[in-house]
Amino acid sequence: MKDTRRRLDEDVDAWVATADRAGTRYLVPLSFLWDGETLLISTAPGNPTARNLRAGGRIRLTVGPTRDVVLIEGSAVVADGITDEVGDAFAAKTGFDPRKLRNYPYFRIRPELIQTWREVNEITGRDLMVVDGEWLT
């Protein structure tokens, strides 16, 4: 679990997957900020990721390379009222400040499932968080 928390604290980018109501999937790399409980992302207001999250709120994302991956499933909501402190932390970590762009929304992602593994021998016991959003270890 230490490796997973370190990756969430230190990694900058994730592959973010969403789908529209018809089931059309959309995958895009986005930067994120982890606060110890949720992830914060931001993207252009008219792109499919933003539209899908506003419509359904379901999200799946991965952090890390294929052989050291963290898979997160959860729900996302528009994060209104981002404080200067959070906005500054997001910009410092990611090198990207959405506040300088027109109407870029932030989305707060609450993990419901977290899995992690490096190799086949780690498939058993890879669940670190399950549907109720509680860490298992």
Side-chain angles (χ1 to χ4, degrees):
M1 186 157 77
K2 277 188 201 179
D3 289 347
T4 299
R5 290 184 185 261
R6 179 191 51 76
R7 187 161 294 289
L8 291 171
D9 287 336
E10 296 176 9
D11 281 23
V12 176
D13 300 315
W15 283 102
V16 176
T18 60
D20 64 19
R21 294 200 187 273
T24 304
R25 293 163 300 280
Y26 190 70
L27 179 67
V28 63
L30 292 174
S31 299
F32 70 91
L33 176 67
W34 170 252
D35 67 8
E37 294 181 14
T38 63
L39 296 101
L40 189 67
I41 62 172
S42 182
T43 189
N47 77 21
T49 299
R51 290 193 311 265
N52 294 344
L53 291 177
R54 281 193 176 106
R58 299 303 303 160
I59 191 166
R60 178 179 249 194
L61 58 94
T62 62
V63 178
T66 305
R67 293 204 179 244
D68 191 12
V69 70
V70 177
L71 171 74
I72 299 170
E73 291 184 7
S75 57
V77 296
V78 174
D80 291 325
I82 294 295
T83 65
D84 287 341
E85 180 181 4
V86 171
D88 292 346
F90 185 92
K93 181 182 181 202
T94 67
F96 165 61
D97 192 345
R99 298 170 296 179
K100 294 182 178 180
L101 300 170
R102 185 175 176 97
N103 298 320
Y104 264 55
Y106 288 92
F107 294 91
R108 177 120 6 237
I109 301 161
R110 181 156 310 280
E112 296 166 1
L113 171 74
I114 297 179
Q115 295 179 320
T116 185
W117 64 91
R118 291 186 190 108
E119 300 288 338
V120 172
N121 66 328
E122 293 183 334
I123 289 177
T124 301
R126 69 183 170 197
D127 293 341
L128 297 180
M129 180 183 286
V130 292
V131 178
D132 61 2
E134 295 294 324
W135 290 97
L136 295 177
T137 55

